[in-house]
Structure formats: structure tokens, C-alpha cells
């Protein structure tokens, strides 16, 4: 399959692994930001193939993982109202709020529907003019433009029964928070390729200057990631942290200007709560005042209860790269994908879920 | 950064979820926790796709399956042919010659009779091709909105000629895993036609009756430990079930597993793994290593097994687990799915 097979080529990958082994003279801790990258690393076993001196830790870049339970509680509350159809992406429907998830709410009679894009959500709104259609929209800079487009389209069509329940998160403020943290141990970052495809690279280059830490934009195939790791290791070994783009087939320095324009028109940057990481200043997007009529948070009177911190789950430390999933006493025992205790076990892209899915045989005794 | 917190979710387990029908871990939990204790007996306990009933003078295979596929008509088949193929295959992988089927219809008020006639004609054709007769049945009509147009249940009986103890608990370390052809065609053909998902693909469902392929395989006299048609939950779930029942490890070779480019492409787009996608005309077989070559050759001589290959082996390491040697040479788990595979958000 063209544009995929080349980046999964065994010979290319082995060549890059050899080069990485030759260049590495001491231990380095690298973080891949995106859950999709974590998934590739585990799925292809890159962590097993890399020299043991290179420790990969996993960042907060899984959109499902970092979606706060409070927004799911709000979505579930809305879904249970008779006049509401709650629509969202499939994997979000089984993410637990504080008490239950949307699939369970659906099983009890709530009108919850799975869509593949926000434009499908608009279609539902057109089909059911007498119902209020709420689209639960989460995710990073990658999914936000399409969600913005849906609001723009609803505005143009004067579709007054479509609402966005939004919880968007931005990557650069999260990296800033991680890099600035006194207990940070990450020495190099693999920036998320898809996010940079939309917003460009300027913020990442600025972070390099600010924290003197190398940042390399990486793609999502094994060869992409090995190239990014090689670039990081080379910079670290040579002591010259810099910014580099190893995903040039998708990412330009300025990004997708049209997507940025629609994002800026519909959303404004705001403080945002992250599951596992808490509130990060200026790390989210909210609908501008002009679009308040489509903002579920403003239109509906929602009852949000405070959430309690768990006693065992160490997901915050995992999302910050301070600990590995296997450092958790609940991993693979009381915390599994079927009954997750914390965010990184919930989504298939979460770090704990990836370890459970792909590495359990070498980590825990099989029952 | 503010103080850290992570909410502790409590997943509701007291209602039936869609995932309970997905063929993954939730389905297995339902069987183990609800059905098995209630109906407990040694035949059901084997958890095979069919029950083998030893009647002294004859060995019968008996199975049942319900079909709730949406859309009712899809590229490569429809709910009617699927209902025949599914039940014929559950009998065939037990080593049985399928003989008789029942067909029960649950119809929704308002369902067009013309569509029903099309479905029934398709069942008739599939039954003729499989050499089975539909000899009994039932019809119920429910109020509009109570079901999705049409559900079909089929049950089947077949005669088991072989004396091989074909069962998921028979795999032994050293055995080889054979697969009859490329995976994921049916699941992707269905997904491509589902409402709301509009991508173009030429993928056609692989829905087919496997009884004649199985007959060719049995005729070789090869030692076959067990066979499965990897439907819901795909190859990953079937291999996991065999590994757990036999208390052995199974290791697949990623590069040996055939997947059509179109299926791979659709899976890439949707964030799905072909190993978990449903098939309706594919066969997995575990064979003694010394017989695998002749079994593979027999499969490849049959039209439904032309692209058959050996995709892995049974090991004594990691009992109960399915692993895979990746294309890059590392080994990773291929887990039983906790839920239905769902397209990812990004």
C-alpha cells in the first residue's frame, strides 16, 4: 500500500535502529506526545528493538484520555433528556464519566448515536428538527477545525437545533507545563505530526528556545518514529538542542492556514481542564461569543458535580512521563481496558491500554 | 500546573451493552457468568461453535445463530445468504456434513414483502449450494420500532463422520495455524455500506459456505486439532479462544497474514485492526506440524482456500495468550477485545 508500506519497511527500520545504536552513548529519556505514536511504538515493538538506554515515556496526547470526566458527565446528563440526541465519535461513547458512560446511558434508553464526522452530526440535526442535537466534540488541534466547520455550517444554515459540547485541548501549553515542571525528566520530545500539520511548527520551535530541549516532529509509522528518535538522539549526543521536522510529507512550517482561519473564527483560546493533569492555562478552545447560540455549555442549564481523585491510579504521573504504566499497582489487575481506573487505560491509544494490549506477557503473570 | 487529579470511573456492568454481542471479552464474560452457570453441562462447557452430540450410532453436530446485520443487503451478500452460510460454517468447522437447517424470522411491522421475498430467495439459493434443506421454521412480527426490519435465526444439524476430537481445547505446542485466505473482507464491506460512513471501496463480503473446503481438508486424513470460522471478533478472537481453551500460546507472524490492500486502507482510515474484523467465509485450522503441508496444499486446491497460508504456530510459552511477531521482528500481544472495535477519534 503506497505511502504506508515504505514507512513500515523492515530493512529501513533495521538500518535506522543500527544508526540509533551506534549514536547512543548514554541513557536518554524521550517522550512521544501523541497517543497514536504510543500505539505504533507498542504495536510494532519499537521499544523492544531500541537500545535499552533509550527510555520512551508517553505524553498526554490521547484525546480520549485527557477529556475530563466532568464533560462526559455533562454529555450523559444531556443524553438522558427526552428532547436531546447526543452524538459523538465511537471511542468516546465508552469513556467513563464519574458514574457511568454514554454506552451505558444508551443501554438505559438515552438517545446516543455514533457518528464518523461532525458533518454527520449536522445531518442528524437536519433529520430531526424537533429534537436538540448535541455533538460532543473533543480532541486536539487535529479534530477542532472540522468541529469549527460544523458550527460555521450550522450558523450559515441557521440550524438552531445543533449544539456543540466542546472540550478541545492544545498541545504546546501542555508541553510547556511538562518542560517547566521541576520534576520533569524528559530530555527530548517527539511532537505530534498531525497537530503540526494543522497549526504548523512555530510554537514548537519557540519551545526549543525557551527550554533548550530538542523537539522533532514525528509521524505515526515505525520508520517515521525511528527517524524522529534518531534525530533527537543525534542532537542530544552532540549537545545542540534544536527543532527539526521529520514528518515533512505532511507538515509544513506554517501549517494549514485555512484550517487555522476557521479555528480562529469560531474558537478562542481559554483555560482548559485535562483529565489527569488538571487545569492548564490557555490550553483549550471555547466557542466565541458570536456563536453562543450553538454552545451547549451556554444554552443548557447543566448540573456539574465535582469529581473525586482516585486512591490508586497514577495516571497523572504517567501522562507527565514520570512513571510507566507498569509502575502502577493496579495495572493489569484491578485496572484493565474492560474496567479502567484511569484515563490512560480507557482509550485504545492510552499508554496503559497500549501496555496492556501489547506487552502484558512480559509484564504481569497471566491469570 | 494545578494539583493533579484523575477521576475514578465506575463502569456500569448491570445493563447489557452493545459490546456484549461483539464477540470479544464482554461476550465471553456473558457466556461464562450468565449462560454457562445456568445451563451448565459438559457439552456447552466446551464452548465450541457447535455442540457435538454422541448418540452411539451417530455423531451429530448441532448449532444455532442469529443474524441482525445492518444493512440487510450488502456487496457480496445479504442477511439471508449470511444466515445460511453462518450456520453451515459452524457445523462444518466441527467436522460435520451440514444436513438440515431451521429458519426463524422476526419481522418488523411495515417491512416490505418484496425485500422479504428477496432475502428468502437468497436463502434458498445458499441452501441449495450448501446441500442443506431448510426443514422447519417460525415467524413472529413485532411492532414498528421493535426491531430493525428483519432478524433471522437459523439452527442446523449435521452428521460428523470423522473421529477426530475437533475442539478448541485440542491445540498442542508445535502445531501450526492455517488460514484459508485474506481477512476482514466481510466486516469492511458492511462498514462501508453503513449509514454515515461514505468511503468508496471495491471490497465484497467473503460470505460463503465452507463445508466443501472442510470436506477436502478432512479427506486428506491430516491430523486437524480444531477449526474455526473467525466471524465476530475476527482472527484475533478465534485464536485467543483456542489459546485459552487449550492452555497454550499461539504466535502469529504478521507478515504471513493475508490482508487485501483495500481492507488495510479502510482499516488505516478508521483506526481499526484487520485482525479483529469479522469474516464470513474464512477458516482457521490448527494442524499437527507434520500434516500442515498436505493440509495447506488441499486448501489451496479449493476455490475458497486458494490464498491459504500458514500464519503462525502453537507454543508452550505464554499459555492462554495470542502473540504476534511484528513485521519488524518484535513480539507483541494480540489481545482479546474488551468491546466492539470502534473507529477512533483521530
Amino acid at each position: 500500500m503506497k505511502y504506508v508500506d515504505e514507512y513500515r519497511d523492515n530493512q529501513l527500520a533495521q538500518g535506522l535502529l543500527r544508526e540509533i545504536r551506534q549514536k547512543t552513548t548514554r541513557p536518554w529519556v524521550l517522550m512521544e506526545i501523541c497517543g497514536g505514536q504510543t500505539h505504533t511504538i507498542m504495536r510494532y515493538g519499537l521499544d523492544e528493538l531500541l537500545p535499552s538506554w533509550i527510555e520512551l515515556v508517553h505524553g498526554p496526547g490521547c484525546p480520549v484520555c485527557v477529556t475530563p470526566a466532568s464533560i462526559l458527565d455533562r454529555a450523559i446528563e444531556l443524553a438522558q433528556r427526552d428532547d436531546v440526541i447526543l452524538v459523538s465519535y465511537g471511542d468516546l461513547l465508552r469513556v467513563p464519566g464519574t458514574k457511568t458512560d454514554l454506552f451505558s446511558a444508551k443501554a438505559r434508553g438515552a438517545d446516543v448515536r455514533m457518528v464518523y464526522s461532525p458533518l454527520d452530526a449536522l445531518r442528524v440535526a437536519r433529520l430531526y428538527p424537533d429534537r436538540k442535537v448535541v455533538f460532543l466534540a473533543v480532541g486536539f488541534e487535529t479534530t477542532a477545525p472540522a468541529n469549527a466547520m460544523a458550527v460555521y455550517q450550522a450558523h450559515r444554515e441557521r440550524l438552531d437545533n445543533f449544539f456543540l459540547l466542546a472540550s478541545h485541548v492544545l498541545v504546546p501549553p501542555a508541553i510547556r507545563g511538562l518542560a517547566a515542571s521541576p520534576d520533569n525528566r524528559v530530555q527530548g520530545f517527539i511532537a505530534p505530526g498531525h497537530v503540526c500539520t494543522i497549526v504548523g511548527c512555530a510554537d514548537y520551535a519557540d519551545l526549543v528556545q525557551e527550554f533548550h530541549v530538542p523537539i522533532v516532529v514525528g509521524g505515526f509509522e515505525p520508520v517515521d518514529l525511528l527517524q524522529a528518535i534518531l534525530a533527537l538522539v543525534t542532537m542530544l549526543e552532540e549537545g545542540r538542542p534544536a527543532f527539526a521536522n521529520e514528518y515533512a510529507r505532511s507538515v509544513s512550517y506554517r501549517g494549514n492556514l485555512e484550517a487555522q482561519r476557521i479555528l480562529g473564527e469560531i474558537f478562542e483560546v481559554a483555560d482548559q481542564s485535562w483529565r489527569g493533569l488538571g487545569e492548564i492555562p490557555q490550553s483549550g478552545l471555547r466557542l466565541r461569543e458570536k456563536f453562543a447560540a450553538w454552545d451547549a455549555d451556554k444554552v443548557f442549564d447543566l448540573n456539574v458535580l465535582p469529581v473525586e481523585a482516585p486512591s490508586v491510579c497514577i495516571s497523572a504521573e504517567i501522562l507527565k512521563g514520570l512513571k510507566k504504566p507498569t509502575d502502577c499497582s493496579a495495572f493489569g489487575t484491578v485496572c484493565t481496558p474492560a474496567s479502567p481506573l484511569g484515563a490512560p487505560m480507557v482509550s485504545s491509544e492510552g499508554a496503559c491500554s497500549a501496555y496492556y494490549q501489547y506487552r502484558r506477557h512480559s509484564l504481569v503473570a497471566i491469570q | 500546573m494545578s494539583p493533579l487529579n484523575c477521576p475514578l470511573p465506575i463502569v456500569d456492568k448491570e445493563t447489557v451493552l452493545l459490546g456484549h454481542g461483539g464477540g470479544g471479552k464482554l461476550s465471553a464474560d456473558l457466556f461464562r457468568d450468565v449462560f454457562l452457570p445456568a445451563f451448565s453441562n459438559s457439552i456447552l462447557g466446551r464452548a465450541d461453535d457447535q455442540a457435538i452430540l454422541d448418540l452411539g450410532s451417530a455423531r451429530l453436530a448441532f448449532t444455532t445463530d442469529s443474524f441482525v446485520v445492518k444493512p440487510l443487503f450488502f456487496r457480496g451478500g445479504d442477511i439471508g445468504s449470511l444466515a445460511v452460510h453462518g450456520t453451515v460454517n459452524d457445523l462444518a468447522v466441527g467436522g460435520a456434513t451440514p444436513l438440515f437447517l431451521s429458519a426463524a424470522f422476526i419481522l418488523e411491522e411495515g417491512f416490505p414483502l418484496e425485500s422479504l421475498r428477496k432475502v428468502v430467495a437468497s436463502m434458498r439459493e445458499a441452501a441449495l449450494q450448501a446441500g442443506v434443506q431448510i426443514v422447519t421454521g417460525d415467524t413472529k412480527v413485532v411492532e414498528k420500532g421493535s426491531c430493525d426490519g428483519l432478524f433471522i435465526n437459523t439452527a442446523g444439524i449435521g452428521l460428523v463422520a470423522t473421529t477426530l476430537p475437533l475442539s478448541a481445547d485440542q491445540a498442542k505446542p508445535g502445531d501450526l495455524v492455517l488460514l484459508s485466505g485474506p481477512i476482514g473482507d466481510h466486516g469492511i464491506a458492511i462498514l462501508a455500506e453503513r449509514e454515515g460512513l461514505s468511503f468508496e471501496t471495491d471490497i465484497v463480503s467473503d460470505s460463503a459456505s465452507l463445508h466443501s473446503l472442510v470436506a477436502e481438508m478432512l479427506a486428506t486424513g491430516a491430523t486437524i486439532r480444531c477449526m474455526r470460522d473467525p466471524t465476530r471478533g475476527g482472527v484475533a478472537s478465534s485464536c485467543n479462544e483456542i489459546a485459552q481453551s487449550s492452555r497454550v500460546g499461539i504466535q502469529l507472524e504478521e507478515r504471513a497474514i493475508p490482508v487485501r490492500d483495500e481492507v488495510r486502507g479502510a482499516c488505516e482510515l478508521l483506526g481499526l485492526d484487520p485482525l479483529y474484523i469479522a469474516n464470513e467465509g474464512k477458516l482457521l485450522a490448527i494442524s499437527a506440524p507434520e500434516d500442515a503441508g498436505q493440509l495447506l496444499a488441499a486448501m489451496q486446491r479449493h476455490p475458497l482456500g486458494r490464498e491459504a497460508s500458514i500464519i503462525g504456530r502453537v507454543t508452550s510459552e505464554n499459555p492462554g495468550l495470542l502473540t504476534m511477531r511484528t513485521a519488524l521482528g518484535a513480539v507483541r500481544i494480540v489481545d482479546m477485545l474488551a468491546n466492539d472495535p470502534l473507529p477512533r477519534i483521530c
Side-chain angles (χ1 to χ4, degrees), chain A residues 5 8 14 43-44 48 90-91 94 96 99 108 116 120 177 275-276 279 310 315 341 349 357-358 360-361, chain B residues 1-2 5-7 9-10 12 16 196 264 268 326 328 331-333 335 339-340 342-346:
Chain A
D5 289 343
R8 295 176 185 172
Q14 297 303 338
R43 182 173 175 181
Y44 288 90
E48 277 187 9
D91 56 353
R94 59 171 168 240
K99 292 192 183 71
R108 284 205 216 87
Y116 295 90
D120 289 340
R275 185 176 247 185
E279 182 126 327
S315 55
L341 291 191
E349 286 196 3
Q357 279 184 68
Y358 299 135
R360 199 162 79 247
H361 62 304
Chain B
M1 212 170 282
S2 66
N5 65 66
C6 172
I10 305 156
D12 179 5
V16 173
R264 282 177 62 202
E268 290 291 329
T326 72
L328 303 187
V331 174
R332 59 120 161 151
I333 287 182
D335 203 6
N339 270 297
D340 265 342
L342 291 174
R344 290 206 306 264
I345 184 172
C346 77

Side-chain angles (χ1 to χ4, degrees), chain A residues 4-147:
Chain A
V4 172
D5 289 343
E6 302 91 311
Y7 302 97
R8 295 176 185 172
D9 182 85
N10 190 30
Q11 276 191 326
L12 267 176
Q14 297 303 338
L16 286 162
L17 282 162
R18 264 195 308 278
E19 234 181 303
I20 292 168
R21 273 193 285 272
Q22 283 160 8
K23 286 244 160 89
T24 311
T25 62
R26 54 199 157 126
W28 299 111
V29 179
L30 311 178
M31 173 184 274
E32 81 282 357
I33 297 294
C34 177
Q37 294 168 330
T38 306
H39 194 79
T40 301
I41 287 165
M42 305 305 282
R43 182 173 175 181
Y44 288 90
L46 299 187
D47 56 328
E48 277 187 9
L49 300 169
L50 283 165
S52 58
W53 279 17
I54 294 180
E55 183 186 352
L56 293 177
V57 293
H58 318 299
C62 163
V64 173
C65 293
V66 299
T67 298
S70 59
I71 192 145
L72 288 153
D73 287 348
R74 276 181 279 169
I76 292 160
E77 191 191 324
L78 280 172
Q80 286 164 342
R81 298 185 185 189
D82 289 341
D83 58 343
V84 169
I85 302 174
L86 195 289
V87 291
S88 196
Y89 305 110
D91 56 353
L92 210 52
L93 300 187
R94 59 171 168 240
V95 179
T98 46
K99 292 192 183 71
T100 183
D101 58 43
L102 281 161
F103 263 136
S104 300
K106 176 176 159 68
R108 284 205 216 87
D111 196 343
V112 177
R113 304 187 189 193
M114 183 172 78
V115 289
Y116 295 90
S117 87
L119 299 178
D120 289 340
L122 279 179
R123 199 163 50 84
V124 177
R126 287 187 210 108
L127 272 172
Y128 298 93
D130 300 335
R131 308 276 299 278
K132 291 170 179 158
V133 174
V134 179
F135 178 55
L136 172 58
V138 310
F140 289 93
E141 294 92 325
T142 40
T143 43
N147 297 341

Side-chain angles (χ1 to χ4, degrees), chain B residues 262-313:
Chain B
E262 296 94 319
V263 170
R264 282 177 62 202
C267 285
E268 290 291 329
L269 272 175
L270 297 168
L272 300 172
D273 187 337
L275 280 173
Y276 295 97
I277 305 292
N279 313 278
E280 287 293 346
K282 292 296 177 308
L283 184 130
L284 268 174
I286 307 280
S287 153
E290 62 276 14
D291 291 347
Q294 63 160 328
L295 202 55
L296 181 67
M299 291 169 83
Q300 289 171 339
R301 281 195 297 273
H302 191 281
L304 292 176
R306 231 179 5 244
E307 297 171 84
S309 54
I310 293 174
I311 61 163
R313 64 195 173 85

Side-chain angles (χ1 to χ4, degrees), chain A residues 180-198:
Chain A
S181 166
D183 47 10
N184 173 51
R185 50 193 286 270
V186 178
Q187 294 162 296
F189 290 97
I190 303 173
H194 291 354
V195 168
C196 295
T197 302
I198 303 293

Side-chain angles (χ1 to χ4, degrees), chain B residues 1-304:
Chain B
M1 212 170 282
S2 66
L4 301 167
N5 65 66
C6 172
L8 177 66
I10 305 156
V11 181
D12 179 5
K13 291 234 165 63
E14 287 310 306
T15 43
V16 173
L17 306 178
L18 281 172
H20 281 116
K25 204 174 277 174
L26 278 181
S27 299
D29 288 352
L30 203 63
F31 174 71
R32 189 195 59 223
D33 299 338
V34 179
F35 299 125
L36 191 56
F39 305 139
S40 172
N41 62 64
S42 61
I43 301 170
L44 185 67
R46 299 181 84 133
D48 280 322
D49 288 345
Q50 70 301 115
I52 302 294
L53 311 172
D54 216 326
L55 304 182
S57 57
R59 291 176 80 212
L60 288 184
F62 178 41
T63 190
T64 183
D65 209 340
S66 298
F67 297 84
V68 295
V69 64
K70 190 168 111 180
L72 298 176
F73 300 91
F74 48 85
R75 288 175 73 114
D78 57 68
I79 189 172
S81 54
L82 193 64
V84 172
H85 294 153
T87 295
V88 164
N89 291 347
D90 282 347
L91 294 171
V93 296
T97 304
L99 296 174
F100 301 107
L101 302 188
S102 72
F105 297 85
I106 296 172
L107 301 164
E108 185 182 13
E109 179 187 24
F111 186 70
L113 269 182
E114 190 192 343
S115 300
L116 181 61
R117 284 198 188 94
K118 269 174 78 178
V119 168
V120 170
S122 168
M123 289 181 81
R124 176 178 180 273
E125 185 60 28
L128 272 172
Q129 283 181 10
V132 295
Q133 287 179 283
I134 298 173
V135 292
T136 184
D138 180 50
T139 307
K140 295 282 187 293
V141 178
V142 294
E143 281 182 30
K144 194 162 183 63
S146 298
C147 85
D148 218 345
L150 166 66
F151 296 156
I152 300 177
N153 171 278
T154 44
I157 285 184
L159 204 54
V160 188
T162 171
T163 52
L164 284 175
L166 287 170
S167 179
D169 61 6
Q170 294 295 312
K172 294 180 174 45
D175 288 350
L176 294 173
V177 184
L178 293 89
L179 173 69
S180 65
I183 57 173
D185 293 2
H186 176 75
I188 294 299
I190 293 287
L191 261 181
E193 297 201 28
R194 283 238 169 110
E195 189 184 14
L197 183 60
S198 44
F199 64 87
E200 295 217 352
T201 168
D202 294 330
I203 286 291
V204 173
S205 167
D206 58 356
S207 181
S209 288
L210 296 165
H211 62 293
S212 59
L213 172 63
V214 170
E216 298 273 337
M217 292 166 68
L218 292 174
T220 62
T223 303
I224 304 171
R225 313 280 192 208
C226 83
M227 290 184 281
R228 281 274 161 128
D229 58 331
T231 52
R232 286 170 319 155
V235 166
S237 297
S238 293
C239 287
N240 263 298
E241 284 165 14
I242 296 168
Q244 283 164 20
S245 291
S246 298
R247 299 184 177 278
V248 293
I250 293 182
Q251 186 163 109
L252 303 180
E253 292 292 329
E254 184 170 25
R255 279 191 275 193
I257 300 171
V259 188
R260 290 188 208 287
D261 264 0
E262 296 94 319
V263 170
R264 282 177 62 202
C267 285
E268 290 291 329
L269 272 175
L270 297 168
L272 300 172
D273 187 337
L275 280 173
Y276 295 97
I277 305 292
N279 313 278
E280 287 293 346
K282 292 296 177 308
L283 184 130
L284 268 174
I286 307 280
S287 153
E290 62 276 14
D291 291 347
Q294 63 160 328
L295 202 55
L296 181 67
M299 291 169 83
Q300 289 171 339
R301 281 195 297 273
H302 191 281
L304 292 176

